[in-house]
Amino acid sequence: MKTFYNNDENYVTEMLEGILSAYPNMLKKANGEIRSIARKDAPIKGKVSIVSGGGSGHLPVFMGYVGKGLLDGAAIGNIFASPSMNQMLTLTKAVDGGKGVLYLYGNYGGDIMNFDMAAELAEEEGIQIKSLLVADDIASGEKGNESARRGVAGLFYAYKIAGACADEGASLEEVYQTTQSALKGVRSLGVAIAPCTVPGASKPSFTLGENEMEIGMGIHGEAGIKREKRKSADEVTQDMIDLLLDDISVNGGEEVSVLVNSLGATPLEELYIIYRKVSEILHEKKIKIYQPYVGRYATSMEMAGFSITLFKLNEKYKKYLDHPVWTPFVREG
Amino acid sequence: MTIQLQAEDVKKIFIQLAETFTREKDFLNDLDSKIGDGDHGLSMSRGSNAVMKTLENNPGFSIYDMLTKGGMQFNEVTGSTIGILIFSAMRAAGLAIKGKDIICLKDIRVMLQASIESIKKRGKASKGQKTILDSLIPALEYLEEQEDSTDESLVIKGMIDKAHEGAQSTKNLTAKIGRAKWFSNRSIGVMDPGAYSGYLALHAIGKYILKNINLNNSK
């Protein structure tokens, strides 16, 4: 793999310096800590703050969603490694507007341990914290064992709901409950055809034969549910939608939002070829698509592949999806 | 003579730990790439070197400071699962001997026990799940068995051996927790890098004691 970076030790810091210099009016370092990125106008008095974070290598997850209508801040770890407890704590203190902080992040062990300890120490300092894990990847836990699942592109919908709800002036408990309920209707599944290489590592995170693909591959290269011969866009999309609809029942007449996401290297052109098929399948089933998103929303460096996320909607969630957001990577409304 | 470690000794042990993990970085990465994401050696060497730098920059640190503030720096530079677990373990060990200027064998046992408890709590882990606990717990159990032994040199050697056996035993285990569980079908036959790091740490501590503390029992 050919790449452009200076050296692996400075990879994350130089990326963050670049983002901060590109968006000086939107983002800032919390208390001078470059691994703790807050929205420029934080803390927002009287609003519940939404904080996320995790390893680097997934842009625009996480700090690409820091800004009006989404996150108040994100703690940034090394590539594929959780940020430190102290980076989370520093950020928490910097963004708390007096109404409490929701920790909203993906279901990964390292992130949980660091966020849990940050929550304990923040609470000792009088900041109210609730934690909510995003666990939308159906490949990483059987139905009935949803709490084992990893968090992937569904993070984007979690941020949309929590951010909009917090902007309405809801309490910490209300933001938590609303987002938790919404996440019960969010399911994702990915497929990979080529791996990524972590800067500094001597080899890719996994190997796949030229004619192989792996359904359910995790965004750090975690094993998926089946490895098989590559199929056409239409065939693999059909398989994935079937698996998703096995997991979450959506009836004809109901509405969903669809997110077709590139894992990094797969181009927009291919994403729209996939979206075309998703739309056709759902149309046949009389499932209405309310608000589609197609693009790079949660990636894994230069991994080639894509994921599909379905979000079962009601009127309230539709309203929240329409809520304006203004961040480095997403600007709507 | 019995074991008596002063702040200066503890500092030298942390220098040994940094050297150990710098040397073993590639081997640990290699183990981790078979069952995880291949960065365990990098985390351990980065973290232990950060602890060493913190101690060098703060010559007045007590043993408690070295463990709690050094541990915080370990977490700061590595983040990740191992970063918070090592920080929790070092902090718990520090709290267990807070106020003490000299560490004896019993203190080592109490510190190890506190570290293990904190890792269990923070990591929601137990023995036999292919983690760092699989080398630390057998070592602690041995220290407990030998509580009344007067040959401290033999006890330290035994602790190192038990940690080594414990690390080796993880080859036969399937990963139940942590990221390695996502690779559980690939994890049989591979030693857990965390368990091996636990052994390396106890080995470095034990070797320092055997080399630098006069434990000649017959005199």
Side-chain angles (χ1 to χ4, degrees):
Chain A
M1 184 68 197
K2 294 178 181 169
T3 55
F4 287 109
Y5 59 85
N6 298 312
N7 70 66
D8 53 275
E9 280 291 322
N10 297 337
Y11 191 97
V12 173
T13 306
E14 291 181 1
M15 166 195 72
L16 289 170
E17 285 168 356
I19 289 175
L20 285 168
S21 61
Y23 308 104
N25 299 320
M26 300 172 98
L27 303 177
K28 66 178 177 189
K29 294 187 252 184
N31 201 24
E33 167 57 74
I34 196 163
R35 299 296 189 107
S36 308
I37 302 288
R39 57 189 275 188
K40 185 78 176 189
D41 52 356
I44 313 297
K45 290 274 171 253
K47 183 185 90 71
V48 169
S49 297
I50 316 295
V51 161
S52 194
S56 292
H58 305 302
L59 277 176
V61 162
F62 298 86
M63 66 281 195
Y65 299 126
V66 174
K68 204 170 174 312
L70 292 172
L71 300 174
D72 293 87
I76 311 304
N78 292 324
I79 300 286
F80 297 172
S82 166
S84 77
M85 183 285 295
N86 199 38
Q87 286 151 1
M88 295 167 177
L89 184 61
T90 301
L91 180 65
T92 305
K93 290 195 256 186
V95 302
D96 177 39
K99 222 176 161 181
V101 178
L102 178 68
Y103 287 169
L104 183 59
Y105 59 99
N107 187 17
Y108 296 94
D111 297 318
I112 294 170
M113 290 177 212
N114 281 281
F115 269 116
D116 278 357
M117 191 159 176
E120 288 164 23
L121 298 184
E123 278 163 355
E124 278 176 21
E125 298 192 30
I127 302 174
Q128 208 190 341
I129 308 282
K130 292 281 279 183
S131 295
L132 182 57
L133 298 172
V134 178
D136 55 311
D137 177 14
I138 65 167
S140 44
E142 304 277 309
K143 202 168 164 54
N145 190 22
E146 283 85 358
S147 65
R149 292 176 173 176
R150 299 181 290 255
V152 288
L155 284 163
F156 173 68
Y157 286 128
Y159 299 158
K160 285 282 287 181
I161 298 300
C165 188
D167 273 357
E168 279 192 340
S171 69
L172 179 57
E173 185 61 33
E174 287 163 346
V175 176
Y176 172 86
Q177 294 290 347
T178 301
T179 312
Q180 189 184 40
S181 303
L183 284 171
K184 292 201 172 100
V186 176
R187 293 291 187 281
S188 300
L189 183 62
V191 59
I193 48 173
C196 61
T197 303
V198 172
S202 52
K203 52 189 184 220
S205 51
F206 57 89
T207 49
L208 268 175
E210 183 56 33
N211 265 313
E212 284 183 323
M213 62 176 196
E214 185 156 326
I215 302 252
M217 176 72 75
I219 56 171
H220 313 95
E222 299 97 330
I225 44 181
K226 55 183 171 180
R227 189 171 280 210
E228 51 190 14
K229 270 213 149 24
R230 260 168 62 191
K231 293 178 175 173
S232 70
D234 280 1
E235 286 170 308
V236 70
T237 302
Q238 180 74 57
D239 288 355
M240 287 167 71
I241 291 288
D242 288 347
L243 286 165
L244 284 164
L245 290 178
D246 275 350
D247 199 87
I248 186 175
S249 65
V250 183
N251 299 318
E254 290 187 298
E255 284 182 273
V256 294
S257 176
V258 174
L259 165 57
V260 175
N261 168 56
S262 170
L263 295 180
T266 296
L268 270 175
E269 285 79 359
E270 292 176 24
L271 298 185
Y272 280 106
I273 290 171
I274 291 149
Y275 181 76
R276 166 187 167 275
K277 183 65 181 176
V278 174
S279 150
E280 184 190 302
I281 299 168
L282 295 183
H283 183 75
E284 273 168 23
K285 294 183 186 290
K286 309 259 185 299
I287 296 167
K288 288 187 264 181
I289 299 178
Y290 177 67
Q291 167 73 291
Y293 295 90
V294 178
R296 299 173 89 245
Y297 285 83
T299 63
S300 185
M301 311 282 296
E302 75 281 14
M303 193 186 286
F306 68 92
S307 66
I308 302 173
T309 304
L310 299 181
F311 176 17
K312 225 170 131 169
L313 297 174
N314 62 25
E315 289 310 311
K316 184 162 84 171
Y317 303 151
K318 281 164 65 175
K319 185 186 72 177
Y320 284 161
L321 283 187
D322 290 340
H323 184 75
V325 300
W326 190 253
T327 72
F329 287 79
V330 202
R331 294 168 202 180
E332 300 170 338
Chain B
M1 288 288 285
T2 58
I3 294 171
Q4 293 195 331
L5 297 172
Q6 300 180 16
E8 201 49 36
D9 294 305
V10 176
K11 188 175 166 183
K12 283 179 187 157
I13 287 173
F14 276 114
I15 294 170
Q16 292 289 310
L17 287 167
E19 282 171 7
T20 300
F21 286 110
T22 304
R23 188 180 65 234
E24 301 287 340
K25 182 175 107 175
D26 290 340
F27 179 68
L28 290 168
N29 276 345
D30 206 44
L31 282 181
D32 193 33
S33 69
K34 290 176 183 144
I35 62 169
D37 53 4
D39 65 355
H40 180 71
L42 186 64
S43 296
M44 290 305 296
S45 87
R46 231 185 230 162
S48 55
N49 279 287
V51 176
M52 186 178 78
K53 257 185 222 125
T54 306
L55 305 195
E56 279 170 356
N57 294 336
N58 296 279
F61 267 7
S62 65
I63 301 175
Y64 166 79
D65 290 336
M66 291 186 201
L67 288 159
T68 54
K69 293 179 183 166
M72 172 83 95
Q73 279 311 306
F74 192 113
N75 183 225
E76 202 63 19
V77 299
T78 61
S80 88
T81 310
I82 195 67
I84 189 77
L85 289 175
I86 299 285
F87 171 37
S88 298
M90 286 174 66
R91 188 164 176 265
L95 288 166
I97 52 89
K98 192 172 180 182
K100 291 200 175 185
D101 296 325
I102 292 175
I103 303 297
C104 67
L105 181 57
K106 182 180 170 235
D107 294 323
I108 294 175
R109 190 178 80 229
V110 170
M111 290 161 85
L112 183 56
Q113 187 186 23
S115 296
I116 288 170
E117 287 310 314
S118 76
I119 292 172
K120 280 183 179 170
K121 178 179 165 249
R122 183 68 55 201
K124 297 182 178 69
S126 54
K127 195 176 157 187
Q129 294 179 319
K130 205 171 176 110
T131 72
I132 189 169
L133 293 174
D134 291 315
S135 57
L136 298 185
I137 289 177
L140 174 65
E141 285 170 351
Y142 182 78
L143 292 184
E144 285 168 344
E145 275 166 34
Q146 300 295 318
E147 198 174 329
D148 299 323
S149 169
T150 51
D151 189 344
E152 297 197 347
S153 156
L154 211 62
V155 175
I156 292 295
K157 282 178 195 151
M159 173 191 82
I160 297 173
D161 287 346
K162 291 292 173 185
H164 188 252
E165 282 168 29
Q168 296 292 331
S169 77
T170 60
K171 284 182 186 167
N172 305 318
L173 297 173
T174 312
K176 295 277 194 303
I177 61 165
R179 198 171 281 169
K181 80 177 172 222
W182 304 114
F183 302 84
S184 56
N185 54 342
R186 304 178 210 169
S187 73
I188 281 280
V190 180
M191 181 163 58
D192 179 60
Y196 192 65
S197 283
Y199 155 69
L200 287 173
L202 292 178
H203 180 265
I205 296 166
K207 280 284 166 196
Y208 177 88
I209 292 171
L210 293 173
K211 203 172 155 200
N212 296 287
I213 309 286
N214 180 8
L215 294 175
N216 198 333
N217 228 17
S218 61
K219 283 173 194 164

